[in-house]
Amino acid sequence: MGTGVPEIPQKAREVRLAEHPEGTLGLEHFDTVEVEVPEPGPGEVLVRTDHLPLSAAYQDLMRTDCQVPLPPFRRGERLGGGALGTVVRSNSPDLAVGDVVQSMAGWSEYSCGPAHDYYKLDTGLFPSPVYYLSQGPTAHYGMADIARAGQDDVVFVSGAAGGVGSLAGQIAKCRGAAKVIGSAGSRAKVDYLVDELGFDAAFDYHDGPVIDRLRELAPDGINVFFDNVGGEQFEAAIQVAAPFARFALCGALSARNGDAAHPRLDLMTAITKHLELRPFACFHTPEQIWGWTENFAKWVAEDRFVFPHTSLEGGIQAAPRALIALLKGEYRGNVAVRMSAAG
């Protein structure tokens, strides 16, 4: 190791989709296999994966009826998705050994490909490179561009303790919202939103009708709704919305969890209140990603923003179980698995 060149194994592990899930996701839907670590060709790099982010959307990408506007995962192939790693071999002038990079290489301990498939990160911008693994581009695009949250708005975020919601609420505060309300699935998460993330109010959606809690916390109505859940919470937000309220519809966790009959849209109420309902899903453009990164770095430096995240140990073999736990609501904020070889 005196040469400074990292030791690279001949074989490494990757996780593949064993079966498409039809119901609840289980360990039987994953297959961890050992593969040869490839040699990079001309213009290519070999990257050691250091951190693997997890997202609830992965379950949708595993299904045969996937409606997410991303390439679905295929049976027998490596699971896709984001990854953060370190260049350990390079045949490209654009990336050097030791560079920290982000990619869509997916669930593998090592990945190899053209240098332009890997984005070099500025490691001095944040306290840790893990900050780049946030779901911030989605939260920022939805709150800033779709809902246009700003000065004096009363904002409601459903599923506010999750990876997107925990960021969306803080983004609204940083953009001048007068009040940010969040919903979550437990008293501990409610306290977390208020005590640690700076939400003005929060409630457990299990504690009685959602519409009653919203009327109590927003007696003059809500101006912005950032929805990750759908179902009863969407229906309640329609009733409590102030005239000309803007809805950014990001997710529908209630349908994923079996509540397919909801939400029902009270169309007449939406019409008479002039509500703006904007569902969104997208491949994030470089402009959207940079817009988030620039603001995120600024707000963190000003001590106005908390990055809520859970970093799990155990390497790639821990990722399937961690994703299942995430889907059950066992974590708060953004979740990533730390590879055993990560520096």
Side-chain angles (χ1 to χ4, degrees):
M1 297 296 292
T3 62
V5 177
E7 183 178 353
I8 301 167
Q10 292 184 337
K11 294 183 179 293
R13 290 166 294 186
E14 68 178 31
V15 177
R16 298 175 179 174
L17 180 62
E19 296 287 345
H20 293 286
E22 295 182 3
T24 303
L25 188 67
L27 292 177
E28 68 273 14
H29 298 114
F30 301 87
D31 188 16
T32 302
V33 301
E34 195 172 70
V35 297
E36 297 284 340
V37 174
E39 285 287 339
E44 293 186 337
V45 293
L46 177 66
V47 174
R48 181 195 69 212
T49 303
D50 296 333
H51 300 275
L52 191 68
L54 303 180
S55 168
Y58 287 172
Q59 179 178 228
D60 297 315
L61 293 168
M62 293 178 183
R63 298 188 182 279
T64 55
D65 59 349
C66 174
Q67 297 180 356
V68 178
L70 292 169
F73 300 155
R74 300 183 183 279
R75 181 181 175 184
E77 295 183 4
R78 178 201 302 174
L79 295 177
L84 187 150
T86 303
V87 176
V88 291
R89 284 181 183 160
S90 176
N91 289 332
S92 168
D94 299 324
L95 291 173
V97 171
D99 284 345
V100 177
V101 295
Q102 192 169 10
S103 72
M104 295 298 291
W107 293 35
S108 63
E109 291 180 319
Y110 285 83
S111 66
C112 183
H116 60 70
D117 286 348
Y118 297 84
Y119 178 73
K120 182 179 178 180
L121 302 179
D122 180 355
T123 56
L125 200 58
F126 295 109
S128 164
V130 176
Y131 278 55
Y132 281 103
L133 296 181
S134 80
Q135 296 182 59
T138 298
H140 188 263
Y141 178 65
M143 190 62 81
D145 297 333
I146 299 294
R148 307 184 304 283
Q151 200 72 29
D152 300 326
D153 280 332
V154 176
V155 178
F156 171 42
V157 180
S158 66
V164 174
S166 60
L167 301 174
Q170 294 187 81
I171 291 167
K173 291 292 290 185
C174 288
R175 289 176 56 84
K179 187 174 188 178
V180 176
I181 303 164
S183 69
S186 70
R187 170 48 56 183
K189 289 181 178 180
V190 167
D191 293 341
Y192 172 70
L193 292 174
V194 175
D195 298 339
E196 297 188 42
L197 301 189
F199 281 62
D200 298 287
F203 63 91
D204 183 342
Y205 60 83
H206 297 106
D207 293 343
V210 171
I211 191 169
D212 292 344
R213 300 308 315 276
L214 285 178
R215 283 173 172 162
E216 172 191 340
L217 296 172
D220 296 324
I222 59 172
N223 309 107
V224 168
F225 178 38
F226 191 106
D227 190 18
N228 295 296
V229 176
E232 179 194 1
Q233 300 193 51
F234 171 86
E235 295 177 9
I238 291 285
Q239 300 304 317
V240 179
F244 301 98
R246 291 96 62 199
F247 282 38
L249 307 180
C250 181
L253 285 170
S254 62
R256 182 182 291 139
N257 294 331
D259 187 12
H262 293 277
R264 293 181 293 262
L265 172 61
D266 182 344
L267 187 57
M268 186 54 66
T269 297
I271 290 172
T272 56
K273 290 185 176 184
H274 297 265
L275 301 185
E276 182 180 323
L277 310 180
R278 294 187 63 186
F280 72 97
C282 61
F283 294 103
H284 292 298
T285 66
E287 291 76 18
Q288 290 167 8
I289 295 172
W290 174 244
W292 158 247
T293 301
E294 185 178 36
N295 281 311
F296 188 28
K298 174 175 174 287
W299 293 332
V300 168
E302 295 171 348
D303 201 26
R304 299 174 62 199
F305 209 101
V306 175
F307 176 40
H309 65 285
T310 302
S311 184
L312 304 171
E313 300 292 334
I316 197 165
Q317 65 269 31
R321 195 177 299 276
L323 178 60
I324 293 169
L326 181 152
L327 294 169
K328 293 179 179 177
E330 295 184 15
Y331 306 123
R332 301 180 301 194
N334 295 254
V335 179
V337 176
R338 183 179 184 270
M339 299 295 104
S340 56

